[in-house]
Amino acid sequence: MKKIWIALLMCTILFAMTVASQAARKGDARQHGGTLSYGEYGRPATLDPITSNEMISLRLTELIFNGLVGINEKQEIVPELAERWEISKDGRTYTFYLRKDVTWHPREGEAVQKFNADDVIFTYRIMKHPKTITPLKVRYEFIETAEKLDDSTVRFTLKRPILNALAKFSFKIIPQHGPRNPDFLTREDPFVQHPIGTGPYMLQSITADREIVLVANENYFKGRPHIDRFVSKPFADQNIMTQALVYNAIDMIVLVNPRDIPEIQGNKNFILQPYNALSYSFFGYNMRDPLLADKRVRKAFTCAVNRQEMLDSFFNGQGTIISGPFAPGSWAYNLDVQPIPYDPQQAIKLLTEAGFTRGADGIMQKGGKRLSLSLKVPIEKESEAVKRVVLAFKNYLKNIGVEIKVEFKEWQAWKEDVFLEHDFDIIYASWVFDDSADISSLFHSAEIGPWKNNFGGYSNPEIDSLIVESKLTLDHEKRRTINRKLHALLAEETPYTFLWTLTNYTAYQKKVRRVAIHPYKFFSFADDWFIAEKEQK
Amino acid sequence: MRWFLMSAVLFTICGAAYAAGDPLTHGMKLYEQRHYEEAASLLRQSLATAGADRLGGINLALGMTYLKSATLHRELQQTSALIYYDYLKRLGTGQGKGGSHFVDLYLAELLLDNDKPGEAAPLLERFLLGENLPAKYLAIAKAELGLCYHLQGDQDKAKQLWEAVVATDPEVQGALAAVFGRAGMAEREPLAMCDKAVAAAKKGGKKIPMRLLKDALAVYTSLSQTDKGLDLIRNADLRTYSYEEKLGKNKTIYFYDLALLEVLTKLYGQAALTYLARSAADPKLRETAEYYLGEAHYRFGSLEQASRFSAASAAAGKLPASYRGRANVREAAILFRQGHRAEAVKEWEGLALKQPADPELLAEAVAACAELRAEAPKLLQRATAAAESGEGKKFFSVNAALGGYYLSRKNYAKAVTFMEAGRDKGNKNKIEANDPLLLVELAEAYYRTKKFSESQEIYFEMGKQFPQVRQIQDALQGIYSREQKSAGDVRIF
């Protein structure tokens, strides 16, 4: 018995030594300390990596969690929770050998728990559970089985080899002891508001003002991050956010309002750093409404809107008009497809072809039904520029006899209306993509349903078939051709009025050093950022 | 400062009383906005109706426009050679069932253009073994394989192949003419062959195929038929691919002629020399024209002439001091190219010490060093200090030049940092606000650091004015699609 106790004690000491040595391992001379507060465009609905489908959460989860693999600044896949991996010759089996020195963020009153293979299998299973609320399911359909081989080895078998499979194992791992419900994860589970992860920062608190405070994880397996605290501060108004930066109330803005770029550019106290998030804004249509199910109506709306005028007037021309479902910086953008030109006469012609006539009140109608529609906009988008965009849209459509009723909704309520209840006619929003240019969750008919990304209920067998073929192929050129076709078809189908992609800059105080930005996830390299001691607050 | 210089040049060219509708004034405005193709087209058209008092100004404006355009195309050609070659190599590794046949032809042509006939020949031989390929392209490959043999000294084998080419198709005629032109076989009359091919291709109002356009331009520029070349491209759609290879219902590969950018560089360089020389005949414009002639000869003509004109500009009392300073920088660059390296570096460093407050001059000197791979530590130190302490648009050029310097030294991270500092962030990729040369160099630095989408966005904007960058865009997309390693995520914002 005594021997067992000694062995256990030795194990505990060895474990503690391992953790301590790992924590101290970040071998640079940069100083620890300081707080970095950054301005965000709103409050995240959830803070876990599974249920969220918004950028604000994504940025936070990047600080709190890790994947089996990561992607470094050179676009190379690098070890994270897996220290190495093997891929079978037929490309169907991926075996990951996990790090043994990783611990979960501690919860008050609980012992520190080690990360192991059970957590990986748990994450995969909970992600795939039919009752789990997540947009991720479609991304992991290619996995046939996930098995634990031992505490530090897991094996995934794919249904078939796919392009770029390894990168897909960058999904974030959550702890088995995290969610209250061990089977599936919903937005009601306390874990989604108070998550624990393995990442460089731990959630400390959410203040009454909904500021999210993260503190450095002393036991982070890549070494303690340099900056002590990250504070996410929500701003409903973009103009105030820029002023907050200028007057030192915050240290960083994740995305500068394009109109404010000249102001910050002229100020030596700040760094303006470009990063190319592949994003675009759009008006999206609910095709469950029979009026909007008619392609001619949607196309008429697109013809009625002078996008270049809006971009120039409301964003100082700092962006690019797009023609289809990909961002211009993407490899999938079809350069031969031109944006539908502004042509109100053509818009009226299209509505007439669709059977509409002007009513006595000037509004188009068909079968006694007036063409009067709701436009729902999330309140976080209630910036001056966005207000102008939606009002301009309303006016452009009025000119062709369409009535638009604008409704600003609180972010969570807006998401419920759009993604859960599908209670809207038109929305104004933006999508942000990673480099993979994967639009399958947006337009495939299997992605229609509660909390899925095909919120408009768009269904087209030709598009479905191309999306499936694109996912199945191992041929890069074939995939490119299919994406070009998808672009051309969706530009013609106009499930959205594709608007523009805006210039993306982050701005931060010069005191924050060694800042490298991941163009999509943003904070991927934040554990290496630092603030010189004399400049720490 | 740049604005001041441009105003001075505008005044010299257009005279005091220029009206808004005047083609010369409009052309110079387009030049300032870097809409070179539009400016050149407008100015060239106006030559026919211009009065004698305007001719010199139009010629000068045309010369300046073509000079800028040629310099830009040289940069684009170098970038395309890097990216397109990379793309073709990757495409070549995917050969086999369902793979491309034409990658061999286009890769071989790229190698041949880079004076590597030994490497090009096996690819052409392999292409010729392909089954069910269009006869036209087999004939073109034979003509080019003949050139490979010719350049490697096997004249008999070359002749045998050329004689077997059936040149009834205009594109084949054009290819053969370009091959004979490159082989220096004037007796085969490549010019007449080209004219005939172009006339045949144009029949019925058809557009000239891109391949023929490229071959004809190669022949015209090699024989200094500048106007003929400029006429040929007037209505051409330069974004067009050269060949579309369909490999099944959902697989199509577009191939582009890399050599197009090279022949455009030569054509515009020749045009610059021609029009600047014409404008120098006007006594009122002689000094300004000779300043630009110095630069045009330095880049696209004779070094001896460049030296003569640059020396004259450096001593020309009527030129603004900054122009004389730039002429000094160029004189040093000429010395460097002539082998007097230490003397050149001394001159640049001396200029940097004498005029440290002139960021434009520092930028010129650093750019010259970057281009010539010259080491001038004191100059670099001065320029870096100026870039770091300077504020505002005035210092964009020195940041841009330092970026170019580090790009030439393969220090890509530093290159990106400086060039981003030299870019107008309020108009990120707009050529009206940023020198397109800076944007092309920045796009290369992004490419090298695998920031593909940033590079792609630069060309997306540039393509609106310079459609010929499509070949770079397509290759970049091809590489990006292979290199990207993302999970397939998309989020609402």
Side-chain angles (χ1 to χ4, degrees):
Chain A
M1 188 64 174
K2 196 177 174 184
K3 277 183 185 169
I4 293 171
W5 272 111
I6 291 170
L8 274 172
L9 186 64
M10 286 299 288
C11 283
T12 312
I13 293 168
L14 276 171
F15 174 63
M17 282 171 67
T18 311
V19 167
S21 67
Q22 294 299 334
R25 207 184 49 191
K26 211 183 249 305
D28 56 46
R30 296 175 201 136
Q31 292 132 329
H32 290 334
T35 296
L36 188 150
S37 356
Y38 68 95
E40 265 293 7
Y41 285 85
R43 307 168 186 91
T46 58
L47 295 173
D48 69 291
I50 292 180
T51 64
S52 105
N53 72 339
E54 64 197 59
M55 291 307 290
I56 303 168
S57 305
L58 176 78
R59 284 188 273 269
L60 285 162
T61 56
E62 199 58 14
L63 292 166
I64 300 172
F65 296 92
N66 294 100
L68 291 173
V69 299
I71 296 157
N72 70 10
E73 286 178 71
K74 295 176 189 166
Q75 288 276 325
E76 296 158 341
I77 294 182
V78 291
E80 281 227 330
L81 294 173
E83 59 188 1
R84 64 189 172 88
W85 50 86
E86 284 165 9
I87 305 168
S88 66
K89 275 187 184 165
D90 65 1
R92 285 193 59 217
T93 310
Y94 284 68
T95 308
F96 293 94
Y97 299 92
L98 310 178
R99 292 181 73 118
K100 294 170 184 162
D101 57 354
V102 181
T103 56
W104 291 102
H105 299 161
R107 268 180 179 154
E108 212 176 315
E110 280 182 12
V112 170
Q113 298 204 35
K114 286 187 76 171
F115 154 78
N116 65 31
D118 290 327
D119 298 310
V120 180
I121 302 299
F122 170 77
T123 304
Y124 172 70
R125 287 195 181 141
I126 209 164
M127 206 158 56
K128 294 292 286 180
H129 194 284
K131 288 187 178 169
T132 294
I133 299 297
T134 178
L136 299 178
K137 281 191 187 82
V138 62
R139 273 169 52 187
Y140 297 97
E141 274 171 353
F142 68 96
I143 297 174
E144 191 168 76
T145 57
E147 313 157 70
K148 169 185 170 181
L149 301 186
D150 60 43
D151 273 354
S152 55
T153 315
V154 288
R155 184 166 64 200
F156 289 91
T157 305
L158 314 193
K159 289 175 185 161
R160 57 193 170 268
I162 60 161
L163 281 175
N164 222 0
L166 189 56
K168 296 194 186 288
F169 291 99
S170 58
F171 64 84
K172 305 293 186 197
I173 304 296
I174 64 168
Q176 192 174 15
H177 63 287
R180 183 172 289 168
N181 184 331
D183 299 320
F184 57 89
L185 192 60
T186 65
R187 289 162 181 249
E188 283 71 48
D189 197 299
F191 179 76
V192 305
Q193 295 300 335
H194 300 282
I196 53 169
T198 52
Y201 286 90
M202 309 186 290
L203 177 67
Q204 185 186 55
S205 61
I206 300 172
T207 69
D209 296 335
R210 299 291 295 171
E211 289 182 7
I212 297 164
V213 183
L214 306 177
V215 293
N217 176 5
E218 297 288 339
N219 295 325
Y220 186 46
F221 62 91
K222 290 187 196 169
R224 182 204 193 274
H226 297 300
I227 297 174
D228 280 349
R229 296 193 330 150
F230 268 68
V231 182
S232 166
K233 295 192 174 189
F235 285 81
D237 190 325
Q238 294 182 10
N239 301 320
I240 294 173
M241 204 188 313
T242 303
Q243 292 312 307
L245 179 77
V246 171
Y247 292 106
N248 296 331
I250 53 174
D251 307 303
M252 176 179 248
I253 297 177
V254 290
L255 184 60
V256 178
N257 181 351
R259 289 182 75 89
D260 296 334
I261 290 171
E263 184 186 346
I264 299 175
Q265 178 172 233
N267 193 326
K268 283 281 255 189
N269 296 322
F270 306 110
I271 305 270
L272 260 176
Q273 192 168 320
Y275 66 101
N276 200 353
L278 298 168
S279 61
Y280 61 76
S281 304
F282 60 91
F283 288 106
Y285 302 109
N286 192 346
M287 276 148 284
R288 294 171 190 87
D289 180 334
L291 297 179
L292 291 168
D294 188 330
K295 181 171 91 177
R296 291 168 297 188
V297 175
R298 304 191 300 266
K299 203 167 177 184
F301 289 7
T302 305
C303 287
V305 175
N306 190 338
R307 290 173 280 174
Q308 192 62 54
E309 187 176 70
M310 287 200 276
L311 183 65
D312 291 343
S313 306
F314 310 143
F315 299 100
N316 282 356
Q318 288 174 31
T320 304
I321 301 295
I322 59 165
S323 62
F326 301 105
S330 149
W331 55 268
Y333 195 91
N334 187 333
L335 298 160
D336 289 322
V337 179
Q338 296 307 311
I340 293 172
Y342 170 57
D343 187 347
Q345 291 312 311
Q346 175 66 12
I348 291 169
K349 197 175 154 207
L350 282 164
L351 288 179
T352 309
E353 275 173 26
F356 286 91
T357 50
R358 289 253 190 197
D361 58 356
I363 302 299
M364 291 282 189
Q365 53 183 332
K366 183 179 172 182
K369 199 173 175 195
R370 292 171 80 243
L371 197 43
S372 173
L373 302 162
S374 70
L375 166 62
K376 291 195 175 175
V377 184
I379 212 155
E380 268 80 1
K381 292 230 167 234
E382 203 185 359
S383 76
E384 203 50 45
V386 171
K387 271 187 200 164
R388 289 180 191 182
V389 168
V390 295
L391 288 176
F393 181 75
K394 182 183 160 97
N395 285 330
Y396 285 128
L397 263 63
K398 192 180 168 192
N399 291 340
I400 61 161
V402 182
E403 184 178 59
I404 298 292
K405 293 172 186 162
V406 180
E407 284 179 52
F408 285 99
K409 303 273 288 188
E410 188 274 326
W411 179 235
Q412 188 54 31
W414 179 83
K415 283 179 69 172
E416 281 177 11
D417 277 2
V418 175
F419 289 99
L420 182 64
E421 307 293 342
H422 305 125
D423 176 20
F424 67 97
D425 294 321
I426 307 173
I427 63 159
Y428 174 71
S430 305
W431 285 120
V432 188
F433 300 82
D434 68 13
D435 282 325
S436 63
D438 188 344
I439 57 166
S440 55
S441 73
L442 275 53
F443 300 111
H444 195 286
S445 60
E447 291 305 303
I448 301 171
W451 295 112
K452 290 190 171 184
N453 286 343
N454 189 350
F455 57 85
Y458 178 72
S459 175
N460 179 334
E462 190 179 4
I463 296 287
D464 285 355
S465 154
L466 284 169
I467 286 174
V468 170
E469 199 176 349
S470 158
K471 279 181 171 284
L472 290 177
T473 185
L474 295 174
D475 184 325
H476 291 284
E477 289 304 320
K478 189 170 180 180
R479 195 172 51 157
R480 286 183 70 199
T481 307
I482 292 170
N483 276 319
R484 282 198 293 260
K485 283 191 175 180
L486 281 170
H487 186 134
L489 276 167
L490 287 164
E492 175 59 26
E493 284 277 295
T494 52
Y496 302 165
T497 289
F498 298 103
L499 295 172
W500 45 67
T501 184
L502 295 175
T503 304
N504 279 353
Y505 272 97
T506 176
Y508 54 91
Q509 310 263 4
K510 266 198 172 155
K511 67 175 185 180
V512 191
R513 311 277 176 86
R514 216 260 168 219
V515 175
I517 307 281
H518 188 285
Y520 178 66
K521 299 173 181 172
F522 201 83
F523 286 128
S524 301
F525 318 117
D527 56 319
D528 283 332
W529 302 3
F530 74 105
I531 301 169
E533 203 169 349
K534 61 182 179 190
E535 291 166 318
Q536 293 172 6
K537 279 180 189 167
Chain B
M1 177 63 89
R2 186 153 276 183
W3 177 85
F4 170 76
L5 286 178
M6 191 45 68
S7 302
V9 172
L10 267 172
F11 188 81
T12 311
I13 297 174
C14 306
Y18 49 83
D22 173 30
L24 178 52
T25 311
H26 188 197
M28 284 308 288
K29 190 86 193 152
L30 290 167
Y31 168 86
E32 268 188 278
Q33 293 170 335
R34 285 101 173 189
H35 293 195
Y36 302 137
E37 317 272 328
E38 275 179 71
S41 165
L42 177 83
L43 290 164
R44 205 158 164 265
Q45 273 176 31
S46 73
L47 276 172
T49 52
D53 61 326
R54 306 299 271 167
L55 267 180
I58 294 173
N59 280 323
L60 179 55
L62 263 173
M64 288 165 62
T65 305
Y66 282 127
L67 177 55
K68 281 280 186 193
S69 197
T71 310
L72 174 63
H73 278 80
R74 173 165 289 174
E75 201 69 36
L76 288 172
Q77 190 270 330
Q78 284 166 3
T79 303
S80 190
L82 166 79
I83 298 175
Y84 200 58
Y85 179 56
D86 199 359
Y87 173 59
L88 288 181
K89 271 195 305 182
R90 286 164 195 244
L91 210 50
T93 58
Q95 280 174 294
K97 200 184 169 194
S100 167
H101 298 294
F102 276 76
V103 66
D104 282 339
L105 176 66
Y106 282 85
L107 198 49
E109 288 178 342
L110 195 151
L111 291 163
L112 195 50
D113 287 337
N114 282 287
D115 298 320
K116 291 176 180 169
E119 288 177 50
L123 293 171
L124 289 168
E125 283 162 352
R126 192 165 69 184
F127 179 76
L128 286 166
L129 293 175
E131 287 170 13
N132 303 321
L133 297 176
K136 177 167 79 177
Y137 291 95
L138 291 172
I140 289 167
K142 272 184 198 164
E144 288 170 344
L145 184 58
L147 180 62
C148 290
Y149 293 146
H150 175 87
L151 293 172
Q152 292 177 99
D154 194 340
Q155 317 303 343
D156 291 341
K157 227 170 162 182
K159 204 176 159 194
Q160 220 174 7
L161 269 169
W162 289 334
E163 276 169 6
V165 173
V166 182
T168 46
D169 185 284
E171 285 187 74
V172 180
Q173 288 168 7
L176 211 48
V179 160
F180 292 147
R182 174 115 184 248
M185 300 168 77
E187 71 280 9
R188 296 280 197 144
E189 297 183 332
L191 182 61
M193 280 178 79
C194 261
D195 287 344
K196 197 176 145 197
V198 168
K202 273 183 171 173
K203 254 185 203 161
K206 282 192 222 156
K207 289 229 171 198
I208 301 176
M210 199 46 75
R211 175 175 283 278
L212 175 57
L213 182 90
K214 172 259 308 183
D215 285 331
L217 286 177
V219 172
Y220 293 158
T221 52
S222 70
L223 298 168
S224 298
Q225 299 280 319
T226 312
D227 281 332
K228 220 173 209 180
L230 293 174
D231 288 340
L232 195 62
I233 59 165
R234 201 167 49 198
N235 295 316
D237 181 2
L238 298 177
R239 92 189 65 208
T240 314
Y241 50 80
S242 165
Y243 184 73
E244 179 189 34
E245 186 177 24
K246 284 189 186 271
L247 296 159
K249 187 181 157 208
N250 280 329
K251 184 175 175 183
T252 305
I253 303 173
Y254 298 107
F255 290 94
Y256 293 82
D257 287 310
L258 179 70
L260 176 71
L261 293 172
E262 194 182 342
V263 291
L264 286 174
T265 305
K266 282 186 190 160
L267 179 70
Y268 294 145
Q270 285 177 1
L273 287 164
T274 305
Y275 288 105
L276 288 170
R278 285 181 195 165
S279 69
D282 184 334
K284 292 200 295 283
L285 300 173
R286 192 174 55 81
E287 286 193 345
T288 310
E290 285 189 350
Y291 168 82
Y292 286 104
L293 264 174
E295 189 182 338
H297 273 291
Y298 175 75
R299 297 195 181 283
F300 306 104
S302 113
L303 210 54
E304 198 184 313
Q305 291 290 319
S307 178
R308 186 169 74 81
F309 287 119
S310 300
S313 297
K318 285 183 196 165
L319 275 181
S322 50
Y323 268 55
R324 295 200 302 274
R326 286 175 185 206
N328 288 139
V329 170
R330 199 188 308 130
E331 279 189 291
I334 294 164
L335 280 176
F336 192 94
R337 282 173 65 179
Q338 287 168 336
H340 309 293
R341 296 183 166 210
E343 219 176 306
V345 169
K346 202 175 153 193
E347 177 67 21
W348 285 321
E349 294 189 332
L351 281 167
L353 285 170
K354 265 191 273 176
Q355 287 168 289
D358 183 351
E360 293 277 345
L361 192 70
L362 286 173
E364 286 288 323
V366 172
C369 287
E371 195 180 346
L372 297 166
R373 308 277 193 280
E375 296 293 344
K378 283 182 198 158
L379 167 68
L380 202 65
Q381 212 178 349
R382 284 267 165 189
T384 307
E388 281 170 359
S389 62
E391 208 170 327
K393 290 187 179 178
K394 194 180 164 192
F395 288 86
F396 278 2
S397 60
V398 73
N399 275 297
L402 283 164
Y405 177 87
Y406 286 109
L407 182 66
S408 73
R409 285 346 185 240
K410 300 186 178 172
N411 186 342
Y412 303 121
K414 231 170 170 175
V416 166
T417 305
F418 276 111
M419 285 194 269
E420 281 181 350
R423 175 167 61 169
D424 183 346
K425 294 169 181 67
N427 295 287
K428 199 177 164 192
N429 296 325
K430 303 265 192 288
I431 57 165
E432 294 80 2
N434 294 287
D435 186 342
L437 277 178
L438 161 73
L439 295 175
V440 175
E441 288 193 334
L442 182 55
E444 184 190 331
Y446 282 141
Y447 174 76
R448 302 265 194 186
T449 50
K450 300 197 174 184
K451 290 182 175 174
F452 298 113
S453 57
E454 289 281 3
S455 191
Q456 197 77 44
E457 278 208 335
I458 287 177
Y459 284 112
F460 189 83
E461 280 298 323
M462 198 172 269
K464 292 174 185 169
Q465 194 54 225
F466 303 103
Q468 52 272 45
V469 303
R470 175 62 67 84
Q471 58 176 261
I472 301 175
Q473 289 176 283
D474 196 80
L476 199 49
Q477 285 189 338
I479 290 167
Y480 185 9
S481 73
R482 286 163 170 79
E483 283 275 334
Q484 64 85 17
K485 291 182 182 65
S486 292
D489 205 10
V490 54
R491 305 257 173 164
I492 200 90
F493 171 68

